[in-house]
Amino acid sequence: FFFNWRHERPMASHGQAPSIKTMRAALRAAKIDFSDCFELEELTARFHSAMAMNAVNSVETLRLKANGAFKRTSYELAVRLYTLAIAEAEALRACDPARSAELIGPLLSNRSAAYRALRMPTQALADAREAVKRAPGFIKGHVRLAQALAAVGYSAEALEAADAGALSAMSAYAPGDEGRCAKEAEEILRLRSSISGSMEAAGTGGSGRGSSGPANDISVRLSQPGASEGLEEGEQSSSVGGALLLRMPEDALTTILGLLAVTDLACAMRTCSALLRLTSANGMDSVWHRVCTRDFPEFSQQAMDAASAFDAGGCRAATGAIAAAGQGSAASLSGGARAGQAVSGAGGGRASLPGSSSGGAAEVPMAPFGTGLGLLDWRVALRERRAHAEGWSTGARATTWLQRHNGPVYGVRLRGEMLVSSSDDATIKVWDLSRGSSGVTHTLTGHTHGILGLWLDPNHNATTIVSGGFDSMIRIWDIAGDGPSGRCVRSLAGHAGPIVSIEADRDRILSTSFDGTLRVWQWDGIQALTIDAHEGHSSGLAIMHESVGVAAGVVTGGHDGLVKRWDVTTSSCVETLDVHQGQVWCVRARGPVLMTAATDGAMYISDLRASSRPVMGVVAAHEDAVAGLQFDDFKAVTSSFDSTIRIWELRTFRGRRVEPSADVQHVTIASWTPGGARHTRLAYDETRIVSGSLGGGILVADIL
């Protein structure tokens, strides 16, 4: 099984172990049998064993995702994911110190490589040193240390680190490891040769500490004790000179520096050691945090909310407030930074395993940890936010095709690293995207024909899937447990035609069908409501939650070209929009905003709060039917039978209805044709887009 403890780890009072009731509830939610645990010690051991197992699974998932980001050269994302994994592994130290130490060394080594790729040698050196300290037998740790030392000009020490790595490789040799040892030895020899060549070119002959290259890198020496005493005379004069700016209080200077453009701030860092020291600080009140939240206001609000939640909840988890780590959201960035500060506080003390907003977190004892390994660097956060904005404006950085279905893929749903797909081959597949094309964890069978309707519970700990097929049946699935086939919990019969769309919430399941109806079901299988929604097929479907100025309801789109909003409590149609010239396949709602797309290639957006109902959008968004649509507060993503996926910046519509012309390009952020496939439905998160295709493949387009 894979159970996400980040949302189910229970709360315990400060200084106390979780109660029996709490442990039983957590094990029951994770579907772990504890009926043979008659003593408290047995129950506690089962609880901690399960907790450790899931923490290890979480670390491994984050590590694989970070490795993928590193290979795509998304180094900022890789640093954040490695940071999350390190914090998770450090929290594991409370219940399994040996396993925690085994995990942290390689993670630090990998993060060192990512920092070095970002040209942040000081951070790379600190991580490499800690990796060797934590896991002296890990060969790549010594290699990363040598590379980091060479990057800052400490050539002699770099050679010593390379030699230490060679000795460690020799001592770790075991029969059967010849291939691995030979590869590591070759890497060490190549690195040593490169360092020696650099030293000879500089004329140092291998003697002297940091005597070549940027050996006098101020940032490296400032990170060491007594750094200011070791500055050269010219460097000291710049830091204690008569500049008025440098005589200001530190908080005032931080505020001023936070107003600079990023390029100007980078120049200021190189001006003198005092500014470098100030801008090298991290945390929620640092210069880089101010710049990051200034350039990305929504990120600032999310960061403050996460900080407030942290302070209100006491000691939170090492990875708490990072529930969306697999999705890479801005909220996860802010949560990761704040949670990292909890782990790396000077006082050490306790770390808590994260919990949901309703259940809180379980605190477990942890030794003082003041090295700051779990602290997200705000410079990296800023760079990732910029890379995020650039990525969504330019398109995919890398694309991958997943080929495991034997027919067209009609539906996809995405939640973190979990992808669920439905196909014309009458199967549903559950994927672990961190494992690539080999990541199918479940194959659900039971439908007799293809499957169009698909829904995945968005809650992080949920294991429920709902599907609707051409056999007119709705099936509810539970994929909890280790079995690869899942379990069909219930089948719902009632539709007289193939089912097109499925949506659900905590209280109900909704479906549309070729029979033209909208049906509402209870989770126990009882059909609560049937509405004759459209002439011909009913296709698009969205649940509209109550918001300011707009009542809760359900929105459908049909083959009659109409979009209808329903009050399901009275079975009445409260509004009809007639804007499309084709069949409305796609309907999405977010707050009071409604977006629709149809086979006429058009995409429209409506604000239901406005009395005049202005319709904005693009008349010819695609050259063929739009099959997939999803949007958020800033952008919309569409997929089409014309083999394109397009990303739209919503603010550029500004109340316009764009006619077919060059104007379309002004409102298109990015458009590309990956593989020439005719795309069906899609899903996306902060770092990637996933789309099915009529060719049977699933496109995974990594934006970061």
Side-chain angles (χ1 to χ4, degrees), residues 87 90-91 94 315-318 342-343 348-354 362-367:
E90 187 61 29
C315 187
R316 286 284 300 276
V343 178
R350 300 176 61 84
S352 54
L353 296 173
E363 297 180 354
V364 294
M366 193 179 81

Side-chain angles (χ1 to χ4, degrees), residues 444-488:
L444 312 182
T445 58
H447 286 282
T448 57
H449 297 287
I451 305 166
L452 268 175
L454 185 65
W455 180 83
L456 170 65
D457 194 326
N459 294 316
H460 290 273
N461 60 349
T463 56
T464 301
I465 296 171
V466 184
S467 61
F470 282 98
D471 57 6
S472 304
M473 296 293 293
I474 296 174
R475 294 181 182 270
I476 304 173
W477 307 86
D478 185 3
I479 58 171
D482 291 322
S485 58
R487 180 171 63 95
C488 181

Side-chain angles (χ1 to χ4, degrees), residues 520-574:
V520 182
W521 314 75
Q522 297 177 5
W523 280 99
D524 60 6
I526 298 175
Q527 183 174 310
L529 182 66
T530 300
I531 298 175
D532 292 323
H534 294 274
E535 295 182 7
H537 303 166
S538 293
S539 301
L541 175 63
I543 297 175
M544 177 163 280
H545 299 285
E546 184 177 2
S547 58
V548 177
V550 179
V554 176
V555 184
T556 61
H559 281 214
D560 53 11
L562 301 179
V563 178
K564 296 184 178 182
R565 184 157 64 98
W566 302 89
D567 181 349
V568 294
T569 61
T570 61
S571 303
S572 60
C573 179
V574 298

Side-chain angles (χ1 to χ4, degrees), residues 152-154 209-221 230-232 235:
V152 298
Y154 290 175
R209 168 178 173 142
S211 52
S212 66
N216 293 322
D217 188 324
I218 303 173
S219 64
V220 176
R221 286 179 285 142
L231 293 175
E232 299 294 336
E235 295 167 1

Side-chain angles (χ1 to χ4, degrees), residues 5 9 44-56 88-101 103 351 353 362-367:
W5 284 89
R9 287 168 180 159
T44 302
R46 182 72 52 85
F47 172 76
H48 283 295
S49 175
M51 185 167 57
M53 181 188 303
N54 284 276
V56 170
E88 189 84 50
E90 187 61 29
L92 176 63
R93 189 167 63 171
C95 52
D96 193 344
R99 185 61 172 145
S100 174
L103 293 170
L353 296 173
E363 297 180 354
V364 294
M366 193 179 81

